[in-house]
């Protein structure tokens, strides 16, 4: 009887964490959709107006100043998320999502070489913190881990890679079931949510680029 009770208790625990992962993944996938659609617009706009690349220095300076003076703890980026997973402190600032969104789009618009995975997981974590604050500490940690999986999977269309990414960040030598379940649920949900909203991931082919004299001159000037 005791064994049956323990199994039911563990089953309920897993179901609860799976539900948290699904919720966090849905939010992360929606955030990834909004981010990638906006980044796609910024890239297409820059390609249509090549002169925008000359705004890279002043925009880069403005982005740096915004991070330094206005972002607060959000300026710590992905490092803050990792620290909060291992040693919960003040939590993920809610301002992180709008900050990373605006600054990422502005950076892409002028041709800055910045990725999308960091922005996606930071947005997912910051958006999920709005409702995760109502949960107990252990559940908040699970939501944060799930946010990493959901944001990563939504941004790249890779649910399993998103799951592994979240587990590698939070674990040290062993994978705990209470982290695996929400991460996997969030990875699958984040990918499905982004696709359901209409996100189509671009396929990049390997190509051979030739280097011309004019290109070298432009690089030298830059």
């Amino acid at each position: 009887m005791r064994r049956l009770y323990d199994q039911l208790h563990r089953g309920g625990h897993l179901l609860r964490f799976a539900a948290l992962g699904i919720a966090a993944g849905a939010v992360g996938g929606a955030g990834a959709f909004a981010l990638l659609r906006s980044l796609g617009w910024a890239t297409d706009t820059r390609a249509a107006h090549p002169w925008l690349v000359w705004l890279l220095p002043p925009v880069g300076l403005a982005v740096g100043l915004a991070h330094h003076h206005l972002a607060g703890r959000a300026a710590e980026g992905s490092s803050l998320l990792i620290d909060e997973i291992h040693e919960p402190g003040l939590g993920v600032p809610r301002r992180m999502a709008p900050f990373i969104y605006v600054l990422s789009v502005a950076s892409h618009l002028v041709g800055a070489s910045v990725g999308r995975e960091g922005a996606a997981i930071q947005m997912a974590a910051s958006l999920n913190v709005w409702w995760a604050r109502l949960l107990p500490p252990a559940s908040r940690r699970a939501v944060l881990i799930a946010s990493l999986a959901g944001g990563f999977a939504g941004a790249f269309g890779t649910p399993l890679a998103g799951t592994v990414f979240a587990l590698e960040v939070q674990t040290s030598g062993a994978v705990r079931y209470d982290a695996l379940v929400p991460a996997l649920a969030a990875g699958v949900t984040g990918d499905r949510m982004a696709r359901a909203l209409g996100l189509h991931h671009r396929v990049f082919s390997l190509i051979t680029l030739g280097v011309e004299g004019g290109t070298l001159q432009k690089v030298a000037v830059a």
Side-chain angles (χ1 to χ4, degrees):
M1 195 68 183
R2 177 65 181 179
R3 178 176 298 180
L4 176 61
Y5 173 80
D6 291 341
Q7 291 177 346
L8 291 175
H9 178 73
R10 178 169 296 183
H13 181 78
L14 292 178
L15 288 175
R16 183 170 68 254
F17 271 38
L20 292 176
I22 291 173
V27 173
F33 166 78
L35 175 66
L36 265 63
R37 273 297 177 86
S38 299
L39 295 185
W41 167 84
T43 300
D44 293 339
T45 301
R46 188 187 69 251
H49 304 282
W51 58 268
L52 285 172
V53 74
W54 295 104
L55 298 179
L56 179 57
V59 171
L61 177 61
V63 168
L65 291 174
H67 264 287
H68 183 71
H69 294 289
L70 301 177
R73 295 178 63 247
E76 299 177 34
S78 299
S79 298
L80 174 63
L81 306 183
I82 297 173
D83 291 341
E84 284 295 324
I85 289 175
H86 290 288
E87 296 182 10
L90 298 177
V92 179
R94 285 174 288 186
R95 72 174 66 183
M96 178 178 281
F99 254 87
I100 196 65
Y101 174 80
V102 173
L103 298 186
S104 293
V105 173
S107 298
H108 276 76
L109 185 62
V110 295
S113 180
V114 293
R116 54 182 175 173
E117 66 280 353
I121 64 175
Q122 290 171 44
M123 282 188 60
S126 180
L127 291 172
N128 277 312
V129 79
W130 285 85
W131 60 273
R133 291 177 181 269
L134 303 176
L135 303 174
S139 297
R140 290 200 299 268
R141 179 176 180 273
V143 169
L144 184 53
I145 294 172
S147 297
L148 304 186
F152 190 99
F156 290 98
T158 53
L160 292 182
T163 302
V164 174
F165 171 78
L167 294 177
E168 287 182 341
V169 167
Q170 66 86 33
T171 192
S172 177
V175 176
R176 295 174 50 185
Y177 72 88
D178 60 347
L180 174 61
V181 170
L184 180 59
V188 174
T189 304
D191 174 52
R192 294 300 180 184
M193 174 61 77
R195 293 178 187 272
L197 291 174
L199 182 62
H200 300 286
H201 297 281
R202 296 183 179 182
V203 178
F204 297 93
S205 301
L206 294 177
I207 58 176
T208 302
L209 296 177
V211 180
E212 302 175 352
T215 302
L216 293 177
Q217 293 175 4
K218 293 177 182 178
V219 172
V221 172

